[in-house]
């Protein structure tokens, strides 16, 4: 019986086995075909990928814009000082013929004409909800061996030569930008120098989100901007402040080297129609962990600078374009500084009589007078700044600006694009100028700046100011191209 069943099923099994072998063979052939197709597609992809990558890069480059700027400037300067201190005692320095001391009162110097050249390269990109901004900066000045300040035992000098840096590189991210997005997050090396209204004399749009009298510094960090309707913006900033190298600011001593102070700020600006196209700006700024040292020369560094406390700065300003339906400009700004010292002391006062000109702590100092030593200034200061610009003809405009700073005024302007940093002065500054637009890319400017210092320590945050009777006169001519 078993033999009979085997004989009957054997042909069926043989047929099934042949069918299975055929299917396996067909699957092997299909697999081989798939491998050949994949190889062909991979070779095609390998061939096309460089083209795809190149097109993507080309598309990105198409969205980038390059706009260079070149400024050439010549300054003729003189400096004259009367007494410093109540009786002129703050002008004493070491090394003179009278008991090892000499005086710096009634001092006058006429400086040789100084040349200054600055190049900027702006690189910007618009990628929908994301924007990219950057600016490369180069500067060189022939005025490197003398500075316009008489505070120290000698005319301070700095190493000559050029400087190159990246002073902004940041991203603006606005979700749903094309659908009315009203919140922008910015991060990187931020646009916090060159604020309103200092841009009017430079004949350009403002390059900072903040008013210059309140906050004009170099920073890296983040800004959050909220837009309300089409006219009101509110901004919050959290960042670190720093100062560019000395070669970017060859003339003045009224700056400090800021060593990564922490910045907290809240600002708003509101556009409305009042006597023209008006911009009302308000801001409060906090410099915390404020550690800095005077901008005097190569022998004064940060090795013995301390965190002296916290500085608050408040300000309000009004800029009016097209004043009274004309092409003229009027502006007025005011600010106050409120220090919160922690009791720590910076000491750059030389112990007298000495031969090595060191401070009590054994550091390099620069004078024997008290204003070079002490805690953060302890009293509020204030400043105001106003001016205007009148267009005689479309090509020619005349401008005038005036600013005043009180005895204890501290200006957070270490990143000011004005090489003389006039907004930091404890005294007053008057500037008049004429600008001739040769064409849409090129303009020439002729100007005069007078600075009168009433107290020592302009731009500094420490030490008790001493009375100072000093005047600076600067005549300048510049030629600038922007593309």
């Amino acid at each position: 019986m078993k033999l009979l069943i085997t004989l009957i099923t054997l042909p069926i099994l043989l047929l099934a086995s042949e069918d299975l072998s055929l299917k396996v063979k067909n699957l092997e052939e299909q697999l081989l075909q798939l491998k050949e197709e994949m190889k062909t597609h991979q070779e095609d992809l390998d061939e096309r990928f460089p083209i795809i990558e190149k097109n993507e890069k080309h598309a990105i480059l198409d969205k980038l814009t390059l706009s260079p700027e070149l400024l050439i400037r010549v300054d003729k300067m003189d400096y004259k000082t009367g007494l410093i201190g109540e009786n002129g005692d703050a002008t004493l320095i070491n090394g003179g013929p009278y008991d090892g001391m000499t005086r710096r009162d009634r001092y006058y110097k006429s400086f040789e004409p100084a040349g200054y050249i600055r190049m900027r390269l702006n690189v910007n990109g618009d990628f929908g909800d994301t924007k990219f901004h950057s600016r490369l900066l180069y500067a060189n000045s022939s005025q490197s061996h003398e500075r316009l300040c008489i505070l120290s035992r000698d005319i301070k000098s700095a190493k000559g030569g050029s400087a190159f840096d990246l002073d902004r590189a940041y991203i603006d991210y606005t979700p749903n930008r094309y659908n009315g997005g009203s919140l922008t997050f910015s991060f990187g090396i931020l646009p916090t120098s060159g604020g309103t209204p200092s841009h009017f004399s430079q004949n350009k749009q403002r390059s900072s989100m903040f008013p210059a009298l309140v906050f004009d510094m170099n920073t890296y960090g983040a800004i959050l901007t909220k837009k309300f309707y089409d006219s009101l913006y509110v901004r919050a900033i959290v960042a670190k402040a720093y100062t560019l190298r000395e070669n970017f600011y060859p003339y003045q001593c009224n700056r400090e080297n800021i060593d990564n102070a922490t910045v907290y700020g809240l600002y708003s600006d509101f556009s409305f129609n009042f006597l023209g196209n008006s911009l009302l700006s308000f801001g409060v700024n906090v410099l915390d962990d404020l550690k800095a040292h005077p901008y005097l020369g190569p022998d004064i560094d940060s090795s013995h600078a301390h965190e002296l406390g916290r500085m608050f700065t408040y300000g309000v300003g009004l800029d009016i374009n097209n004043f009274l339906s004309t092409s003229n400009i009027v502006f007025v700004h005011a600010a106050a500084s409120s220090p919160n010292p922690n009791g720590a002391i910076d000491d750059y006062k030389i112990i007298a009589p000495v031969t090595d000109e060191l401070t009590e702590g054994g550091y390099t100092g620069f004078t024997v007078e008290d204003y070079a030593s002490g805690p953060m200034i302890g009293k509020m200061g204030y400043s105001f700044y106003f001016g205007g610009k009148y267009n005689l003809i479309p090509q020619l405009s005349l401008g005038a600006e005036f600013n005043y700073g009180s005895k204890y005024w501290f200006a957070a302007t270490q990143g000011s694009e004005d090489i003389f940093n006039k907004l930091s002065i404890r005294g007053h500054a008057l500037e008049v100028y004429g600008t001739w637009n040769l064409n849409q890319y090129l303009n020439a400017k002729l100007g005069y700046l007078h600075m009168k210092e009433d107290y020592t320590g302009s731009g500094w945050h420490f030490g008790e100011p001493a009375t100072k009777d000093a005047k600076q006169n600067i005549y300048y001519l510049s030629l600038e191209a922007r593309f």
Side-chain angles (χ1 to χ4, degrees):
M1 184 66 180
K2 290 182 181 180
L3 181 59
L4 180 62
I5 294 174
T6 302
L7 292 174
I8 295 173
T9 57
L10 182 59
I12 299 173
L13 293 174
L14 291 174
L15 289 174
S17 177
E18 290 178 1
D19 184 60
L20 182 61
S21 298
L22 182 61
K23 288 183 178 180
V24 170
K25 184 177 180 180
N26 290 336
L27 287 174
E28 289 178 346
E29 291 176 353
Q30 292 177 16
L31 182 59
L32 183 60
Q33 183 179 357
L34 286 174
K35 288 182 178 180
E36 290 296 328
E37 290 179 357
M38 288 180 64
K39 181 180 179 182
T40 302
H41 289 319
Q42 183 62 47
E43 291 175 350
D44 184 62
L45 184 61
D46 291 341
E47 182 180 349
R48 292 175 179 270
F49 186 77
I51 299 175
I52 295 172
E53 187 179 32
K54 182 178 180 180
N55 288 337
E56 288 178 349
K57 291 180 178 178
H58 184 70
I60 292 175
L61 292 176
D62 278 346
K63 295 179 180 180
L64 292 177
T65 59
L66 304 179
S67 52
E69 306 174 26
L70 183 64
L71 169 72
I72 297 178
R73 173 170 170 152
V74 177
D75 292 270
K76 180 67 178 75
M77 304 166 281
D78 64 66
Y79 186 100
K80 181 179 181 181
T81 182
L83 299 179
I84 301 178
E86 295 297 332
N87 300 307
D89 55 341
T91 55
L92 296 176
I93 62 171
N94 291 324
Y98 306 106
D99 297 326
M101 308 294 288
T102 188
R103 306 189 68 86
R104 274 281 170 84
D105 54 15
R106 299 175 179 86
Y107 179 90
Y108 174 80
K109 181 173 179 62
S110 178
F111 292 80
E112 295 295 325
Y116 176 77
I117 183 168
R118 184 192 68 201
M119 188 277 291
R120 291 172 176 160
L121 180 62
N122 301 281
V123 183
N124 302 303
D126 190 339
F127 304 95
D129 290 348
T130 303
K131 290 184 177 182
F132 169 76
H133 309 272
S134 67
R135 188 170 73 184
L136 296 169
L137 176 65
Y138 168 85
N140 191 305
S141 173
S142 66
Q143 213 281 338
S144 61
H145 61 290
E146 297 170 322
R147 290 179 181 270
L148 285 180
C149 61
I150 308 299
L151 290 176
S152 56
R153 61 191 182 279
D154 55 2
I155 305 290
K156 300 305 298 183
S157 62
K159 183 179 179 180
S162 60
F164 183 85
D165 213 332
L166 178 71
D167 74 334
R168 58 191 58 186
Y170 64 98
I171 295 293
D172 285 335
Y173 173 58
T174 307
N176 301 314
R177 171 185 165 197
Y178 294 116
N179 294 320
S182 61
L183 193 66
T184 300
F185 177 63
S186 307
F187 63 93
I189 304 174
L190 300 172
T192 51
S193 62
T196 181
S198 61
H199 62 294
F200 292 133
S201 66
Q202 299 177 36
N203 198 37
K204 66 174 188 177
Q205 299 294 320
R206 65 171 177 167
S207 54
S208 170
M209 299 179 181
F210 309 114
L213 193 59
V214 182
F215 182 55
D216 202 11
M217 307 182 79
N218 301 104
T219 64
Y220 59 91
I223 299 173
L224 188 65
T225 301
K226 174 65 176 176
K227 178 182 178 182
F228 297 91
Y229 306 104
D230 291 326
S231 56
L232 176 62
Y233 292 82
V234 178
R235 297 181 176 92
I237 178 174
V238 178
K240 288 286 188 178
Y242 64 96
T243 309
L244 294 174
R245 295 187 299 275
E246 287 90 341
N247 284 335
F248 285 108
Y249 310 115
Y251 299 126
Q252 289 295 99
C253 292
N254 59 352
R255 297 180 196 261
E256 290 181 309
N257 280 294
I258 299 294
D259 300 316
N260 289 314
T262 305
V263 179
Y264 305 102
L266 186 64
Y267 292 83
S268 67
D269 54 66
F270 175 61
S271 301
F272 63 105
N273 187 12
F274 172 71
L275 303 178
N277 299 325
S278 298
L279 178 72
L280 179 66
S281 57
F282 171 80
V284 54
N285 195 79
V286 183
L287 279 177
D288 202 0
D289 309 316
L290 180 51
K291 181 181 179 182
H293 62 280
Y295 216 82
L296 288 177
D299 57 345
I300 304 297
D301 58 33
S302 62
S303 59
H304 55 296
H306 304 94
E307 293 179 7
L308 304 186
R310 182 182 297 117
M311 183 71 70
F312 295 83
T313 312
Y314 315 87
V316 62
L318 178 65
D319 305 330
I320 306 177
N321 280 281
N322 306 121
F323 182 66
L324 296 177
S325 301
T326 67
S327 57
N328 304 319
I329 295 168
V330 174
F331 65 84
V332 57
H333 285 243
S337 58
S338 178
N340 184 13
N342 62 15
I345 291 176
D346 274 355
D347 183 15
Y348 297 90
K349 179 182 176 181
I350 297 169
I351 303 171
V354 293
T355 57
D356 54 2
E357 298 181 326
L358 299 179
T359 68
E360 184 176 357
Y363 301 103
T364 302
F366 59 84
T367 183
V368 299
E369 300 308 321
D370 291 337
Y371 63 76
S373 177
M376 179 182 286
I377 52 179
K379 297 181 181 180
M380 288 190 66
Y382 63 89
S383 178
F384 54 83
Y385 177 29
F386 62 85
K389 191 173 179 181
Y390 177 74
N391 289 306
L392 290 172
I393 56 176
Q395 295 81 18
L396 178 63
S397 61
L398 302 178
E401 300 182 1
F402 179 86
N403 65 278
Y404 171 81
S406 69
K407 179 178 180 179
Y408 293 97
W409 166 240
F410 173 80
T413 57
Q414 276 71 16
S416 172
E417 294 180 0
D418 169 22
I419 55 179
F420 292 99
N421 196 21
K422 68 179 183 179
L423 295 184
S424 72
I425 196 169
R426 292 174 179 169
H428 67 261
L430 172 66
E431 183 173 11
V432 293
Y433 60 87
T435 302
W436 180 269
N437 295 315
L438 301 174
N439 56 44
Q440 68 181 98
Y441 304 112
L442 188 63
N443 70 81
K445 183 179 178 183
L446 178 66
Y448 165 70
L449 173 62
H450 172 79
M451 300 176 69
K452 169 66 168 62
E453 295 174 271
D454 296 330
Y455 298 94
T456 59
S458 294
W460 296 6
H461 74 303
F462 73 94
E464 179 64 22
T467 57
K468 184 180 182 182
D469 178 20
K471 300 179 179 67
Q472 302 174 30
N473 295 295
I474 301 103
Y475 307 87
Y476 63 89
L477 175 65
S478 68
L479 187 64
E480 185 170 18
R482 299 191 190 100
F483 301 96

